[in-house]
Amino acid sequence: MKMYRSHVMICRGTGCSSSNSEQIAKNFEEQIKLHGLNEEVIVERTGCFGLCALGPIVIIYPEASFYSLVKPEDIEEIVKEHLVKGRVVKRLLYAETVAEDRIKSINEVNFYKKQHRVALRNCGVINPENIDEYIAFDGYKALSRCLTELKPEEVIDIIKRSGLRGRGGAGFSTGMKWEFTAKAQGDIKYVCCNADEGDPGAFMDRSVLEGDPHSVLEAMTIAGYAVGGSQGYIYVRAEYPIAVKRLGIAINQARAYGLLGKNILGTDFSFDIELRLGAGAFVCGEETALLASIEGQRGMPRPRPPFPAVKGLFGKPTLLNNVETYANICQIINNGPEWFASMGTEKSKGTKVFALGGKINHTGLVEVPMGTTMREIIHEIGGGCPNGKAFKAAQTGGPSGGCIPASKLDVPIDYDNLTALGSMMGSGGLIVMDEDNCMVDIAKFFLEFTVDESCGKCTPCREGTKRMYEILERITKGKGEEGDIAKLETLAKNIKNSALCALGQTAPNPVLSTLRYFRDEYEAHIREKRCPAGVCQALLQYKISEEKCKACGICAKQCPVSAISGKPKTPYVIDQEKCIKCGACMEKCPFKAISRG
C-alpha cells in the first residue's frame, strides 16, 4: 500500500459540492502535479465534515489543518506555502484554530470537541467511493464475524442488549423489531432501509449515505442474516443525486468483492440489495406508505396491524429501519453491546445525530451522546444565534415534532424527555429560532407543510389539518376571534386520536407545543391584533417619529402606493389605510425615523 506524507481531504458532500468543491479538488491535483508532489501528496474526496456553515472545507493531514470557506483561487497559495514549504496559510484557516502560540487541529474546535461520532465515524475520513478505504477502517469486519462466529439469534441478542432504538421516528427497540421479523413465518423475507428523509432542514441520513454508504450495506446484510432475509431495498429520495450515485457504486463494489450476492464470504448465506428512488412524498417516510411505493403503488399508509414484520413488502415479513439506525449496527457488533449501552441515558442508549439549522451560527451535523442538553448543542457546539440575538425556541422532530422554549434548554435530550416536552426525537432535525421569530407563524409554516404532504386517505388528516391551517391563517392576518384557541385544541386532539398514520397523528404537535409555551403570542394576535415579533405583515404598523423625521421626503418617494405624505419642514405621516406593509420606507430612511410595531 502506497504511503503519502500528506493527505488533502476535500468535502464532496452536497453542501460543499454546491460551493464548487470539485473544482477545488481539481485545482489541488493540478498544483500538486505542477510542483512534482504526486508521489508525496494525495487528494481525497470525502463525505461531509459536519460544519457545513464553513464550506467548502479542506483538511490537510497529518497536521489536521482546517481550511474553511476555501475558493478555487486559494489553492495555488495553499500548495506553495503549506505543501511545498511547510507553512500553513493562516488567513485561510478557520479563525478558531489560529491561536497565539500554535495552530489548533480540527479536533480542538468547539464544534467537534463535545461530539462523539459513531454513525458519522467515517464521514470526512474516507473516500466513500473506495471500498478498500472502508475495509481499512474495519469495514465488513462485523459481517465476517456474524457469518462465521455468530448464530442469527445471537446477533439479535447483541442488538437487543445494546439498547439501540430506531433513529427515524418514535424510537422503537431495534432488537425487538429484528426479533419479530425473525420469528415471523414466511418463505421470503425482506430487509428495507428508509432513506426518504423528508423533514424540512434534516440532512443526517443524506450525509451518511454520501460519506459512508458501505456502513449501511454491511448493516443491512447483517440484518438479512439475523432475520432470514435474502433481498434488501434502499428507498432513497431522488433529490439526493450524490447519495444515489455513491450507493450505486458501493453496491457494485460489494458485489465484486463477494460481500453481496450469492454465498457471501464463502458461506451458504446469500443477500443482495437494490435501490428504489422516491419522488419526494413526505408521507412515504411512514413505513407502510414506503413499502407501497417500493411495490410500485401510490405511497399511502394502511392500517396496522398487521405490522410490516408480519406482513410487509409484497405481503411478506419485512424489516424496515432508517439510515442512522443501520449506521450504528456494525459498531455495536465490533465493540460489543455494553460499549454502546455505556453511552446515553438509561432508556435512550448511544448517540444521536442532529442537523442544526435555522438561526444558528454553526449550521451543520452534530453527533452527541443521548442526554446531552439543548444548551450544549445550541450554544456550546452550534455557537448560539447570530448577531447576538436571543434564543427563543428549537423545533425538533420536523413537522411531526414540537417547539421547545428557552426555559427548557437544560433538559437532557432523549426520547422520553422530548415526548414529555410535547415534541419528539424524529429523525433529528433541529431548527433554531431567535427572538425575531413569531411562534404562531412557525406553527402555521409547519402545518402548511403537512397539509400539502397529506396523502388524503383519512378524513381527520385530510380535512382536520386544513381547518387548523385556516384558523392559523386568519389569526396571522389579524382576523382571529375569541374561541379560536379552543377550536385549535379540540381539532388537534381529535386528529391525534383518529388519523390513520403517524403523519396525521403528529401533525398538530407544532400547534400544541407553541400553544403550550407561547400562548401569549396567540392571545396578542387575536385580542390585540398585534404580532409581538413583528413578523405577521397584516398586523404590522409603520410609524414615523416626529422627533426624528427630517422631512426629506425619501420615504414618500419609496412608497409604491403613495401612502406617505408631508410638507417641507413638517414631519411626514403614513396613511395606515393605504399602507401595504412592504417596509420600503423604513429600509430607506437615512435617519431611522420609521419604526415597525
Side-chain angles (χ1 to χ4, degrees), residues 3-77:
M3 304 293 288
Y4 296 89
R5 69 168 170 87
S6 293
H7 287 69
V8 179
M9 316 296 280
I10 300 170
C11 175
R12 283 286 280 120
T14 294
C16 288
S17 292
S18 67
S19 299
N20 216 8
S21 65
E22 177 56 28
Q23 187 59 53
I24 289 170
K26 290 178 179 178
N27 286 7
F28 263 111
E29 290 170 337
E30 291 173 3
Q31 288 295 318
I32 286 168
K33 183 178 180 181
L34 183 66
H35 288 83
L37 299 176
N38 301 59
E39 299 300 312
E40 301 176 47
V41 180
I42 187 171
V43 175
E44 292 277 22
R45 293 162 173 82
T46 75
C48 179
F49 290 107
L51 192 41
C52 304
L54 296 177
I57 291 174
V58 175
I59 310 295
I60 298 182
Y61 291 98
E63 302 92 342
S65 300
F66 185 171
Y67 291 100
S68 63
L69 300 171
V70 180
K71 298 180 178 63
E73 54 267 29
D74 296 327
I75 308 311
E76 182 178 357
E77 182 180 1

Side-chain angles (χ1 to χ4, degrees), residues 218-394:
E218 183 181 6
M220 289 180 67
T221 308
I222 291 171
Y225 173 72
V227 305
S230 58
Q231 179 64 48
Y233 292 96
I234 300 177
Y235 185 84
V236 57
R237 53 196 303 118
E239 297 96 328
Y240 285 178
I242 296 176
V244 171
K245 174 191 171 188
R246 290 180 182 165
L247 278 171
I249 291 171
I251 288 171
N252 289 334
Q253 289 175 341
R255 286 174 181 158
Y257 275 52
L259 298 166
L260 278 180
K262 299 289 185 182
N263 305 115
I264 295 173
L265 293 174
T267 68
D268 59 0
F269 174 64
S270 299
F271 185 82
D272 209 347
I273 296 174
E274 295 180 21
L275 298 181
R276 289 291 184 270
L277 302 188
F282 180 66
V283 73
C284 286
E286 195 278 337
E287 58 182 6
T288 60
L290 183 152
L291 297 177
S293 185
I294 292 178
E295 293 171 350
Q297 303 177 44
R298 182 181 177 188
M300 299 177 76
R302 61 166 173 77
R304 298 173 301 173
F307 291 92
V310 176
K311 187 178 180 181
L313 189 64
F314 304 116
K316 304 296 183 180
T318 302
L319 174 67
L320 177 63
N321 290 124
N322 87 320
V323 171
E324 188 184 341
T325 307
Y326 282 124
N328 284 284
I329 297 298
C330 299
Q331 289 289 85
I332 292 171
I333 300 294
N334 286 334
N335 298 306
E338 295 78 16
W339 166 81
F340 189 82
S342 69
M343 297 178 282
T345 63
E346 182 181 354
K347 295 182 179 180
S348 300
K349 305 296 185 183
T351 62
K352 182 71 189 78
V353 181
F354 292 97
L356 271 178
K359 306 284 189 69
I360 190 79
N361 277 307
H362 297 151
T363 301
L365 288 179
V366 174
E367 184 171 4
V368 293
M370 291 280 195
T372 302
T373 66
M374 191 79 74
R375 184 182 301 278
E376 290 176 281
I377 294 173
I378 292 172
H379 291 290
E380 297 180 28
I381 297 175
C385 299
N387 305 315
K389 296 285 185 177
F391 168 79
K392 187 172 188 177

Side-chain angles (χ1 to χ4, degrees), residues 476-477 531 534-542 580-583:
T476 55
K477 286 187 174 180
C531 176
V535 170
C536 299
Q537 196 171 37
L539 299 178
L540 299 179
Q541 276 201 348
Y542 288 86
I580 61 172
K581 332 287 189 189
C582 68

Side-chain angles (χ1 to χ4, degrees), residues 11 44 74 85 94 117 160 197 212 229 326 396 530 573:
C11 175
E44 292 277 22
D74 296 327
K85 300 177 183 178
Y94 175 39
R117 293 193 154 202
K160 287 177 66 176
E197 195 170 49
D212 195 17
Y326 282 124
T396 67
R530 177 177 65 87
V573 293

